[in-house]
Structure formats: structure tokens, C-alpha cells
């Protein structure tokens, strides 16, 4: 089978992104001092609230889970690795008094059936959800596939992302103040969604050329552009349901350049990590706006892209990364197809 046309990189978008120093720890320090109102989060209690945080075993996800648990929320951690998940669980429980409020669920988000099993069990066991933080994302160093033959990064970053959110929206709608916070990478500024790339990822292609040409960083940018587009889709779907009483707020957030195990272990980002390491944000700094969107009182924004507690533009000037409505619908259809590939639970 001939290779699909490759996605093009927006050089102008990439330059505007990588030359922006506000993504470093310097940016968060300046904005915290000049623009943030610490009162927004200082005394917020989440007692009685239930949250799900994916990718909570390390990095930003762990910092978010720790913060929400510290505010009294019942936190459900979704992790793929039992070893890393249990280590994170013990660490978070060690900092709070009500240790039973934090629970670990072992779910591989690249496997649709595991997501379906988790959602079914969660609905039966808990049935209440106020906050969903979609943090999990991967940048593999080589071509891999899930059990259904879908490229593993696509399966996690878009198909699993879509499936988990779509499956949990019905119970989120029952909350008095439901929030969905989607963590994305601003690497999306270098990418316009390329449908042939997404389509190819849904079908096993395991030729020597496919393996040699695999680019984790290129796919990562594509997938996170897709996550922002899916945020728009879910926000619009929630808005259409408001007449039925739903008030779900769905937003995406870029955490800045954060020193996480995922970044440190990404082969394609090795040079970037070494070059800018001392300027990377801490995990807590990266988690700040995620937490702010998850629990700041009176949030009215939905369908927005945030960076450092402020709504930002989703495209860089003249970068050519905007897609049309048809491409968004095709993306949704492809995610539905990938998620439904596993037999229903």
C-alpha cells in the first residue's frame, strides 16, 4: 500500500511558538506576579466533588491529582502502569488525611475495550463525576500498535481521548458545575490537521518504510491540533444540551514547557530538552492553569484554549493551521470508528 501524503509543518507557526519565552518558567513567574489573582484558588474547597485525572502517575497529571485531592476531592487516577500508578497513589495519599478519597484505576487508554470496561464500572460503582482532566498523551520513539491494529499514539492521544470524554459526558451532565479540562501541547501551532495521516493511523501499516519514517514529534503536533478541535466539538455538543439543563464547560490548556518524564524520555525532543532544561517549568507550575480551569469558582468559559490562566488564540498569525468544519467532522467520525473497533462491553 502506498504511503499517504505527509502532513506539512507550519514553519511560521513553529517559529512563533519556539521563539516565545513565555512558555518557560520565566513566563509563569512574571504572569503570577503581575496578572494572577491568587484568591482565585487559595481557599477553593472541592469537598463532595469527584474528579477523574488521566495520566496521573507522573508529571502534570500527578501534580493535578495531588492538588485536587488536597482540596478534598474524590480523585480517580487513570494510569497504565501498575508500578508507577501505585507509587503515585502512595505519594498522593501520603499528603492527605482522607486517604481513601484517592483511587487508582489501571487503564491503557490506547485500548478502547479497557476504556469501555472502566466507564461501565465507574458508572455502576460511583455514578457521579464533576471534573474530567484529560491529561494522558504519548510520544513514542518508534512505531507501535494497539490490539486493534491502530497506531498506539493515535489510539491514546485522539481515539482514547475522544472515547473517554464521550462516554463520561452523560454523567458529567448531572453535576451542578461540570468541567472538562483537556491538556494539549502548543506544538499544535506547527500543525494543521491532516486527515490522511489520521486515517493511516487507524489501519496497521508495518512496512520498513513506515518504521524508518516514523516521527513521534510530527504525530504529536497533529494529535494535539486534533485535541483542540475535539474540544471545540465537545463544547458545542454541551452547548446544544444546555436546554436540557447541562452546563458542562469544556476547555483546553497548554501547560507551558514542563520538565516531565515524558519530555525527558522523548527521543525527538532530546536536543530541545538539553538546550532549555534549566528554563523548564516545574510540574506544579505546569499544572496551575489545569487546576484553575478545573475548580476556580464561577467559570463561564467553554470551547476556549488557555495558557497561564488566560484565553489565547488557537492559531499563530499567518500560520495556515486552520481547518474547516468538514475536517472536524471527519476527525470525529474517525475517532468514533477507532473507538467502536472493540466489541461493546
Amino acid at each position: 500500500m502506498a504511503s499517504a501524503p505527509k502532513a506539512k509543518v507550519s514553519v511560521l507557526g513553529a517559529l512563533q511558538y519556539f521563539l516565545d519565552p513565555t512558555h518557560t518558567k520565566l513566563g509563569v513567574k512574571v504572569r503570577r506576579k503581575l496578572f494572577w489573582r491568587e484568591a482565585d484558588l487559595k481557599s477553593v474547597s472541592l469537598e463532595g466533588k469527584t474528579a477523574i485525572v488521566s495520566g496521573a502517575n507522573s508529571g502534570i497529571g500527578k501534580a493535578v491529582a495531588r492538588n485536587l485531592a488536597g482540596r478534598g476531592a474524590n480523585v480517580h487516577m487513570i494510569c497504565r502502569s501498575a508500578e508507577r500508578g501505585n507509587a503515585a497513589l502512595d505519594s498522593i495519599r501520603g499528603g492527605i488525611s482522607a486517604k481513601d478519597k484517592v483511587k487508582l484505576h489501571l487503564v491503557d487508554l490506547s485500548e478502547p475495550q479497557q476504556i469501555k470496561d472502566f466507564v461501565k464500572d465507574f458508572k455502576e460503582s460511583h455514578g457521579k463525576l464533576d471534573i474530567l482532566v484529560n491529561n494522558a498523551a504519548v510520544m513514542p520513539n518508534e512505531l507501535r500498535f494497539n490490539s486493534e491494529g491502530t497506531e498506539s499514539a493515535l489510539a491514546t492521544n485522539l481515539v482514547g481521548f475522544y472515547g473517554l470524554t464521550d462516554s463520561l459526558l452523560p454523567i458529567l451532565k448531572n453535576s451542578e458545575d461540570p468541567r472538562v479540562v483537556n491538556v494539549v501541547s502548543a506544538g499544535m501551532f506547527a500543525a494543521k490537521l491532516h486527515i490522511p495521516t489520521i486515517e493511516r493511523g487507524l489501519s496497521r501499516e508495518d512496512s520498513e518504510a513506515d518504521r524508518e519514517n516514523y516521527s513521534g514529534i510530527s504525530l504529536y503536533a497533529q494529535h494535539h491540533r486534533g485535541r483542540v478541535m475535539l474540544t471545540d466539538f465537545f463544547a458545542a455538543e454541551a452547548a446544544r444540551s444546555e436546554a436540557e439543563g447541562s452546563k458542562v464547560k469544556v476547555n483546553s490548556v497548554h501547560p507551558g514547557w514542563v520538565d516531565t518524564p515524558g519530555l525527558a524520555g522523548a527521543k525527538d525532543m532530546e536536543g530541545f530538552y538539553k538546550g532549555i532544561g534549566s528554563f523548564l517549568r516545574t510540574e506544579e507550575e505546569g499544572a496551575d492553569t489545569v487546576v484553575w480551569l478545573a475548580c476556580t469558582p464561577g467559570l463561564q468559559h467553554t470551547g476556549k484554549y488557555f495558557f497561564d490562566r488566560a484565553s489565547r488564540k488557537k492559531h499563530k498569525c499567518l500560520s495556515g493551521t486552520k481547518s474547516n468544519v468538514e475536517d472536524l467532522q471527519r476527525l470525529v467520525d474517525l475517532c468514533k470508528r477507532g473507538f467502536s473497533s472493540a466489541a461493546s462491553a
Side-chain angles (χ1 to χ4, degrees), residues 77-92:
M77 304 164 58
I78 293 181
C79 303
R80 180 176 55 183
S81 164
E83 180 181 359
R84 294 193 296 272
N86 278 302
L89 178 66
D90 291 342
S91 173
I92 293 171

Side-chain angles (χ1 to χ4, degrees), residues 48-297:
K49 299 275 189 178
T50 299
I52 289 176
V53 182
S54 71
N57 63 280
S58 65
I60 297 165
K62 181 181 175 182
V64 170
R66 182 191 298 115
N67 192 300
L68 299 184
R71 297 175 186 277
N74 296 295
V75 177
H76 295 265
M77 304 164 58
I78 293 181
C79 303
R80 180 176 55 183
S81 164
E83 180 181 359
R84 294 193 296 272
N86 278 302
L89 178 66
D90 291 342
S91 173
I92 293 171
R93 281 180 169 175
I96 60 175
S97 56
K99 302 186 187 309
D100 62 338
K101 284 192 170 187
V102 186
K103 294 180 172 59
L104 173 65
H105 304 268
L106 297 178
V107 184
D108 184 342
L109 292 177
S110 74
E111 296 290 348
Q113 188 58 56
Q114 290 193 32
I115 297 173
K116 293 176 182 180
D117 291 343
F118 162 73
V119 172
K120 181 175 182 291
D121 177 70
F122 185 84
K123 287 180 177 179
E124 292 175 351
S125 304
H126 304 282
K128 179 183 186 299
L129 183 61
D130 304 283
I131 301 165
L132 170 62
V133 177
N134 284 309
N135 167 72
V138 296
M139 188 194 299
N141 293 324
E142 61 185 7
L143 181 62
R144 300 171 187 165
F145 302 93
N146 73 358
S147 63
E148 304 295 325
T150 300
E151 190 270 320
S152 62
L154 172 66
T156 300
N157 299 343
L158 283 178
V159 175
F161 168 90
Y162 170 87
L164 182 66
T165 307
D166 188 61
S167 300
L168 290 172
L169 275 177
I171 55 174
L172 270 165
K173 291 176 180 178
N174 295 325
S175 169
E176 292 182 2
D177 185 19
R179 314 274 181 97
V180 177
V181 185
N182 298 327
V183 181
V184 302
S185 167
M188 62 145 186
F189 286 125
K192 177 180 180 179
L193 186 74
H194 189 244
I195 291 296
T197 296
I198 307 302
E199 288 179 320
R200 187 172 180 80
L202 285 178
S203 302
R204 179 181 288 274
E205 293 292 338
D206 196 10
S207 68
E208 184 177 345
D210 287 317
R211 291 193 173 275
E212 289 180 352
N213 295 327
Y214 186 83
S215 172
I217 189 171
S218 176
L219 289 176
Y220 199 73
Q222 280 284 308
H223 297 164
H224 282 273
R225 172 56 65 192
R227 283 166 81 114
V228 171
M229 293 172 66
L230 289 173
T231 299
D232 294 340
F233 170 77
F234 282 122
E237 289 289 296
R240 280 192 281 271
S241 300
E242 278 209 36
E244 303 169 9
S246 170
K247 300 177 182 178
V248 184
K249 301 296 185 293
V250 188
N251 295 288
S252 62
V253 54
H254 168 49
W257 297 336
V258 183
D259 191 354
T260 64
L263 177 60
K267 182 177 65 176
D268 288 346
M269 299 296 288
E270 184 177 359
F272 173 81
Y273 184 76
K274 289 181 177 178
I276 202 169
S278 61
F279 292 97
L280 292 172
R281 298 179 176 197
T282 66
E283 294 168 351
E284 288 72 23
E285 288 171 337
D288 178 88
T289 303
V290 182
V291 173
W292 183 83
L293 284 170
C295 62
T296 189

